[in-house]
Amino acid sequence: MTAPHPLVYQEYYTRTPFQLLTSAGWKRLVAFRADESGITLGGAAVRYHRFLAVVPWRDIEAVVVWATQTRTEKPVPYISLKLRPGVPAPPGPNRKLTQQFAAGFAPHLEYEVVRNSRRIVLWKVDQARLTAAVQAFAPQVQLRVHPVHRERPGQGGAVGRGSGASIFDILP
């Protein structure tokens, strides 16, 4: 068995006891992988195999790392794929997301990017390693890293959020 290419970038979900209650068992689950064949987006532990997606480099226009933040929570990081025109959306938890909800949730991004996203939870992105992998395997693919998008007062991107002020309203 040969060792994988040294620039393969792979992150695993942190193991939790919840895995034992699902069909995932105690094995290490891949959250994200960038290798010579493309990008692998892991599914959540409950629906891991249903939402697991492998997208070849030829179908990807950009890999996008972004985050949103409301007044009441810490930034929530995501990783997404912007696909080339005509490529069908990969399976995932946001496949049925409406354009209206996506525009309220992340108005700074294209609908497709929000729909093809995975929340970064129980793992972290190593930006330097991700950059090296994208440059090595698909230099034609862009890597976009957006700053945290903070919801402004009255923006009301999600149902149930008030418009009261917070410390984030005065920060640059």
Side-chain angles (χ1 to χ4, degrees), residues 70-124:
T70 65
R71 292 171 299 282
T72 60
E73 62 185 25
K74 298 185 307 184
V76 180
Y78 291 86
I79 193 158
S80 305
L81 299 178
K82 178 164 176 41
L83 303 176
R84 299 201 183 283
V87 174
N94 300 329
R95 186 168 176 118
K96 295 181 181 179
L97 192 71
T98 66
Q99 287 186 350
Q100 181 180 7
F101 184 81
F105 177 68
H108 61 301
L109 296 171
E110 300 106 323
Y111 165 67
E112 176 188 8
V113 171
V114 178
R115 184 191 61 208
N116 297 334
S117 67
R118 296 292 198 273
R119 186 171 177 180
I120 300 171
V121 61
L122 299 176
W123 66 282
K124 294 182 183 195

Side-chain angles (χ1 to χ4, degrees), residues 2 13 56 153 168:
T2 62
Y13 288 112
F168 297 111

